[in-house]
Amino acid sequence: MGPLQGMKVLDASQIMAGPYCTMVLADLGAEVMKVEKVNGGDDSRQMGPYVNGESTCFFQINRNKKSIALNLKTNEGKEIFYQLAKEADVVVENYRPGVTKSLGIDFESLKKINPGLVYCSISGYGQTGPYSHKGGFDLVAQGMTGLMSMTGEKGMRPMKSGIAVYDIGAGITAAYSILAAFIHKMNTGEGQHVDIALAEIGLPWFTWEAGAYFAEGTIPEATGWRHRVSAPYQAVKTKSGYMMLGCANQRTWERFCEDVAEKPEWLTDPRYKTNLLRNKHVSELEEDIEAVLMHQDTRHWIDLCEKAGVPAGPINNFAEAVQDPHYEARGMIQEVEHPLIGKMKMIGIPAKFSKTPGEVKSPSPLFGQDTIEVLNGLGYDEDSIRNLTKSGAVKTLEEKPILNKK
């Protein structure tokens, strides 16, 4: 019984941002009905790698959902969507602006049959503005907002984030915005349209950078493995590799000098007395620190830092990260049984609730897996479903396309 038990979500999104949003809602107990197009479903189903013809990309962010395949370009398919929307609390879509209106499933159309509907649109640039007609891509958003100008090393080629940070960020922003609108609905009965733009959700994350720019006109630049204002707050090299070292304030710097590096003389060195000075002489500081750290391996220094109360940690690759015993103990690595893939691990739920915990209840659905069940629930009999299938208005599990294995 997750905290969102009883919420009904109609998910007309695909690929990543929308499905990530609805996965979060489903993990927390919402009933999510995924509406997929009849010609192959969510495009991420075509993205490898595959196991027994099933996409593991689709598998990872479509758990706890049901799947119905509808052709929204047909009157019959649209009518089924309307019936589902009438009973839904939330609709999530990520078409380009204008497409839902042409299909007749836009907010203005649906609120006529469900005035309390919370309708969330996720698009590249939002429903208004001079760029609203453009498609949205995580990579373009990373460049447009300035993120790539701050990532990587100064003077080198701009670097993107290693993951689709804006797609995921749009999904998270959509999820908490939907919950805010849902609370408003609970209090007033009123639904509303929530407009999420992929290209702008990251701007509020640049809080300190915005403070520096709007106050002094300072434009943040790439600082590589170093922090923009704190030192040492960066990756440092040891005998066996690299680790993260975070002396975010004067006290942790003092502990590092005295209890870890055993270099108390650094505390009186005129170059290193304050954070401002350390940052000014960060290249010299880094050279001095690494000269000490090169005598022992990473684990030795992390252990000393932890004992001294100095923030430090390893720089793991993904395999090392997901094998960390802490994540296992916290339930962040889960395993589920999929009818075609078999047993497969996935990332768990980060929010822990003492009374109403979220749960990975079911794997991602097969394409059209729940079409017949949903139609039966709406009152369609076997002959009607057969006719709908024959006309191309719906697809059922039996007609699931076979994907190429890789």
Side-chain angles (χ1 to χ4, degrees):
M1 298 290 288
L4 298 184
Q5 189 77 23
M7 174 189 280
K8 292 185 177 181
V9 179
L10 197 54
D11 179 9
S13 68
Q14 63 170 348
I15 309 293
M16 184 171 283
Y20 194 92
C21 165
T22 55
M23 179 194 73
V24 171
L25 300 178
D27 286 351
L28 299 181
E31 178 186 328
V32 176
M33 178 62 62
K34 186 172 181 66
V35 179
E36 302 191 63
K37 58 182 184 288
V38 293
N39 56 334
D42 187 323
D43 282 348
S44 67
R45 288 189 182 272
Q46 321 306 325
M47 299 176 182
Y50 305 114
V51 176
N52 292 332
E54 288 292 300
S55 165
T56 59
C57 293
F58 180 88
F59 171 88
Q60 288 293 329
I61 59 172
N62 286 286
R63 65 195 183 202
N64 291 338
K65 304 176 187 178
K66 294 183 177 181
S67 169
I68 179 172
L70 296 180
N71 185 347
L72 295 176
K73 294 181 179 179
T74 66
N75 290 331
E76 298 90 341
K78 209 185 317 287
E79 178 57 33
I80 294 168
F81 189 91
Y82 289 156
Q83 292 182 62
L84 294 172
K86 186 176 182 179
E87 301 301 321
D89 296 298
V90 178
V91 168
V92 178
E93 60 89 8
N94 64 350
Y95 290 97
R96 285 197 188 195
V99 173
T100 55
K101 185 175 183 179
S102 68
L103 291 172
I105 60 167
D106 57 308
F107 174 63
E108 294 300 322
S109 298
L110 296 186
K111 76 174 185 179
K112 295 175 183 177
I113 60 175
N114 186 349
L117 186 67
V118 174
Y119 187 106
C120 180
S121 297
I122 305 173
S123 62
Y125 297 89
Q127 303 298 302
T128 60
Y131 301 156
S132 61
H133 64 285
K134 295 183 179 182
F137 299 92
D138 177 272
L139 182 69
V140 177
Q142 289 192 38
M144 183 176 177
T145 56
L147 178 65
M148 289 178 64
S149 72
M150 305 177 214
T151 306
E153 299 180 39
K154 186 175 182 179
M156 301 296 286
R157 187 187 298 246
M159 301 284 285
K160 75 175 196 67
S161 170
I163 63 171
V165 62
Y166 279 82
D167 277 330
I168 299 298
I172 294 171
T173 302
Y176 72 66
S177 301
I178 287 169
L179 296 181
F182 186 66
I183 291 172
H184 175 76
K185 171 192 173 175
M186 292 174 66
N187 290 331
T188 67
E190 296 175 338
Q192 62 182 300
H193 190 188
V194 179
D195 178 7
I196 304 295
L198 185 78
E200 69 188 25
I201 56 97
L203 282 177
W205 302 344
F206 305 130
T207 51
W208 289 0
E209 290 77 14
Y213 174 72
F214 291 127
E216 303 174 342
T218 302
I219 300 175
E221 298 178 340
T223 57
W225 55 91
R226 300 167 179 162
H227 193 267
R228 189 171 58 84
V229 294
S230 298
Y233 199 86
Q234 61 180 84
V236 288
K237 188 172 178 57
T238 71
K239 183 179 180 180
S240 61
Y242 289 89
M243 60 178 272
M244 295 306 293
L245 175 65
C247 297
N249 55 51
Q250 190 66 20
R251 185 66 189 116
T252 53
W253 165 244
E254 292 169 0
R255 289 172 180 165
F256 175 75
C257 294
E258 295 171 340
D259 302 330
V260 179
E262 296 183 356
K263 290 287 185 178
E265 62 269 27
W266 287 349
L267 297 177
T268 56
D269 189 312
R271 299 169 299 170
Y272 306 151
K273 280 187 175 182
T274 67
N275 180 70
L276 186 64
L277 290 168
R278 290 193 295 275
N279 197 47
K280 182 179 179 180
H281 298 280
V282 66
S283 293
E284 301 160 67
L285 175 65
E286 180 180 294
E287 186 176 331
D288 285 344
I289 291 174
E290 292 186 346
V292 173
L293 300 188
M294 286 299 293
H295 293 292
Q296 296 288 347
D297 63 20
T298 297
R299 188 70 256 170
H300 170 85
W301 296 115
I302 291 176
D303 289 344
L304 281 183
C305 284
E306 290 178 350
K307 186 177 179 181
V310 176
I315 301 177
N316 291 328
N317 61 33
F318 186 70
E320 292 167 334
V322 297
Q323 291 168 20
D324 191 298
H326 179 78
Y327 290 140
E328 182 178 354
R330 293 274 295 170
M332 286 308 298
I333 308 301
Q334 305 238 347
E335 186 174 69
V336 297
E337 182 82 29
H338 186 278
L340 293 180
I341 292 176
K343 288 185 177 180
M344 174 73 76
K345 290 183 178 180
M346 58 172 53
I347 305 301
I349 302 171
K352 318 299 183 188
F353 293 77
S354 63
K355 295 291 186 182
T356 56
E359 181 185 359
V360 179
K361 300 182 291 292
S362 62
S364 61
L366 300 175
F367 176 56
Q369 171 181 298
D370 305 288
T371 299
I372 293 176
E373 178 189 339
V374 173
L375 292 178
N376 283 335
L378 294 175
Y380 291 84
D381 60 22
E382 185 176 337
D383 288 338
S384 299
I385 295 173
R386 188 180 299 111
N387 290 333
L388 286 170
T389 304
K390 188 175 180 180
S391 70
V394 305
K395 275 205 172 184
T396 62
L397 178 60
E398 290 74 20
E399 298 164 293
K400 174 181 171 291
I402 303 299
L403 307 179
N404 294 322
K405 296 180 183 179
K406 286 188 180 179

